[in-house]
Amino acid sequence: MNSPYGVFPDEVILQILARLPVKSVFKTKIVCKLWYKLISDKYFINLYNEISVKNPMVIVQVTDSSLESRSGLICVDNSKGVCEFSLDFVKDRVKVRGSCNGLLCLSSVPDKGVYYICNPLTRECKLLPRSRERPITRFHPDGEASLVGLGCDLLKGKYSVVLAGYHRSFGHRPERTFICMVYDSELKKWRKFVSLQDEQFTHMNKNQAVFVNGGLHWLTDSCSCMLVLDLSNDVWRKIQLPNEISCGVRSRLYLLELDGRLSVIQIYEAWMVIWVMEDYEKEEWRMVDKVSLRCIRGMVPGIFPISQNENYVFLATHKQVLVYQRNSRVWKEMFSVKDSSTLPLWFSAHAFRSTLFSCH
């Protein structure tokens, strides 16, 4: 069957283009007007995003010591290897606070309370409006939100940014009062609600916010449950972890996504156990893999799972990003740094997906 683009059917052309890197897709836009129209069509954007989300990656924020105000990202892809891209288009010194379906939530380092949403591959950036409530609600302990979450709904084409933390009145200790601010990309404004919470969170718990089933999920410091914010009705609730899981001195838990479902990875002694939530409504968990860590025993105390799908798991250490192939049970180093002064890679590593999601 002939088509305006050659001897291939239109759908074949679409399927090929949908598997190209974002930069290559943008280059094909200038081939001709027909291709520009094809790639700009909503059908192609949805197709591209649908394929891309099946290929989770890892991004690590690195700071260029020669440029005081700029930083960049290292992107580690299981099939394409390692590439770098800059955040210079943001025009601010920023820190990555959240990642979801191709978008990043960035906070300004010099200006507290300033947040951006960007797609680092399309180089789109949006400065979020300041909330009128921000000067009044002092987050504990340093004025910054304890939890920063980003939820991007690819089907609806909208995203939400969540800032939450314990309120501290001037001159008083932090209270149980949990302040939550939610930015809605459709309404283009913030909303605020207040609840009472007792949970605390480690650095990795804060980094690993998982957007599933219309809610943002964080693992609590006690490792007994996860705290969930349902973005449709602004209600916090708790989800219990598998009964078989125990968190102690030699056991660590991490919250990830696994092909659209919640997943908990437990690392203890020389084992890595992967759990997945089979039924979200009934909160039913199933163990899907148990991996021996004996071949990397020396790294176990400082290894952190970052991203995964049914075929592989990305993990970060102080200076390396590793990938574990679940089918062949092979470990491989994907990236490493030599600079001894750099922060641990796991400290600034986030799960990432390459999409054409727009932040505007």
Side-chain angles (χ1 to χ4, degrees):
M1 174 181 175
N2 292 332
S3 76
Y5 314 109
V7 296
F8 294 109
D10 296 356
E11 185 60 29
V12 174
I13 298 293
L14 287 169
Q15 290 290 339
I16 293 173
L17 294 176
R19 286 162 171 79
L20 294 176
V22 171
K23 288 184 179 180
S24 299
V25 170
F26 275 80
K27 288 180 180 179
T28 61
K29 275 190 170 187
I30 62 174
V31 171
C32 62
K33 290 182 179 180
L34 287 174
W35 279 47
Y36 181 89
K37 183 179 179 181
L38 176 75
I39 294 170
S40 302
D41 188 78
K42 189 174 181 180
Y43 174 80
F44 174 77
I45 293 173
N46 290 336
L47 175 64
Y48 188 93
N49 293 342
E50 181 183 335
I51 293 172
S52 296
V53 296
K54 297 176 183 178
N55 180 39
M57 298 175 278
V58 168
I59 57 165
V60 181
Q61 185 172 14
V62 294
T63 302
D64 187 342
S65 57
S66 64
L67 296 174
E68 184 178 333
S69 62
R70 297 290 178 261
S71 61
L73 298 171
I74 300 295
C75 183
V76 185
D77 186 308
N78 179 56
S79 57
K80 300 181 180 69
V82 179
C83 65
E84 300 180 43
F85 42 93
S86 173
L87 291 175
D88 58 357
F89 62 93
V90 181
K91 308 302 181 185
D92 194 357
R93 187 156 55 98
V94 293
K95 175 183 177 183
V96 178
R97 298 299 303 273
S99 172
C100 183
N101 287 335
L103 294 189
L104 300 179
C105 178
L106 312 172
S107 64
S108 173
V109 174
D111 297 317
K112 285 186 179 180
V114 173
Y115 290 87
Y116 302 87
I117 296 296
C118 82
N119 185 324
L121 300 185
T122 63
R123 294 175 68 83
E124 285 185 342
C125 181
K126 177 181 176 63
L127 171 64
L128 296 185
R130 279 182 177 267
S131 165
R132 295 178 182 177
E133 300 284 350
R134 197 179 307 279
I136 301 171
T137 57
R138 296 189 67 202
F139 289 120
H140 172 75
D142 57 1
E144 293 277 42
S146 299
L147 302 180
V148 178
L150 175 61
C152 302
D153 192 319
L154 291 175
L155 294 179
K156 295 180 180 179
K158 59 177 288 187
Y159 62 85
S160 298
V161 179
V162 173
L163 308 177
Y166 289 100
H167 177 68
R168 181 183 63 182
S169 302
F170 287 92
H172 292 79
R173 289 177 138 188
E175 308 162 1
R176 289 180 61 222
T177 306
F178 205 57
I179 307 292
C180 186
M181 311 289 298
V182 181
Y183 177 80
D184 187 308
S185 67
E186 284 188 329
L187 301 177
K188 294 182 172 55
K189 64 180 182 180
W190 294 89
R191 63 182 186 269
K192 172 189 172 184
F193 64 98
V194 180
S195 62
L196 297 178
Q197 301 292 340
D198 291 308
E199 301 295 344
Q200 300 297 324
F201 307 89
T202 67
H203 175 82
M204 285 301 292
N205 293 160
K206 296 174 187 177
N207 262 13
Q208 294 184 315
V210 176
F211 179 66
V212 167
N213 282 59
L216 278 164
H217 304 69
W218 288 270
L219 193 63
T220 61
D221 186 32
S222 65
C223 296
S224 60
C225 64
M226 65 183 76
L227 193 63
V228 187
L229 174 59
D230 188 331
L231 292 170
S232 64
N233 55 22
D234 291 345
V235 172
W236 291 98
R237 68 185 183 93
K238 296 180 180 179
I239 291 181
Q240 299 301 313
L241 300 183
N243 295 328
E244 296 85 349
I245 286 182
S246 61
C247 187
V249 178
R250 297 186 177 181
S251 177
R252 312 190 318 265
L253 300 181
Y254 303 94
L255 181 63
L256 282 76
E257 178 194 343
L258 179 55
D259 298 330
R261 297 174 293 176
L262 287 174
S263 176
V264 171
I265 293 185
Q266 180 184 25
I267 292 181
Y268 69 98
E269 297 178 352
W271 294 98
M272 177 172 70
V273 182
I274 303 174
W275 296 82
V276 66
M277 181 171 276
E278 291 282 274
D279 191 312
Y280 189 82
E281 298 300 325
K282 296 180 181 178
E283 298 185 14
E284 293 179 349
W285 295 86
R286 180 172 67 91
M287 187 178 76
V288 294
D289 206 352
K290 186 173 183 178
V291 181
S292 172
L293 303 178
R294 294 186 184 279
C295 60
I296 58 165
R297 179 183 286 274
M299 299 181 181
V300 172
I303 199 165
F304 299 82
I306 305 296
S307 178
Q308 65 173 339
N309 65 10
E310 64 179 3
N311 298 315
Y312 55 84
V313 183
F314 278 116
L315 305 98
T317 67
H318 190 106
K319 295 184 178 183
Q320 298 166 294
V321 174
L322 308 176
V323 64
Y324 172 73
Q325 304 291 345
R326 290 179 57 187
N327 294 326
S328 61
R329 299 197 173 271
V330 171
W331 292 86
K332 181 181 178 181
E333 178 186 289
M334 297 293 293
F335 174 73
S336 66
V337 293
K338 304 295 188 292
D339 187 356
S340 59
S341 64
T342 186
L343 287 172
L345 292 183
W346 56 263
F347 193 83
S348 58
H350 296 263
F352 184 71
R353 288 176 169 86
S354 167
T355 71
L356 296 174
F357 199 114
S358 174
C359 56
H360 294 296

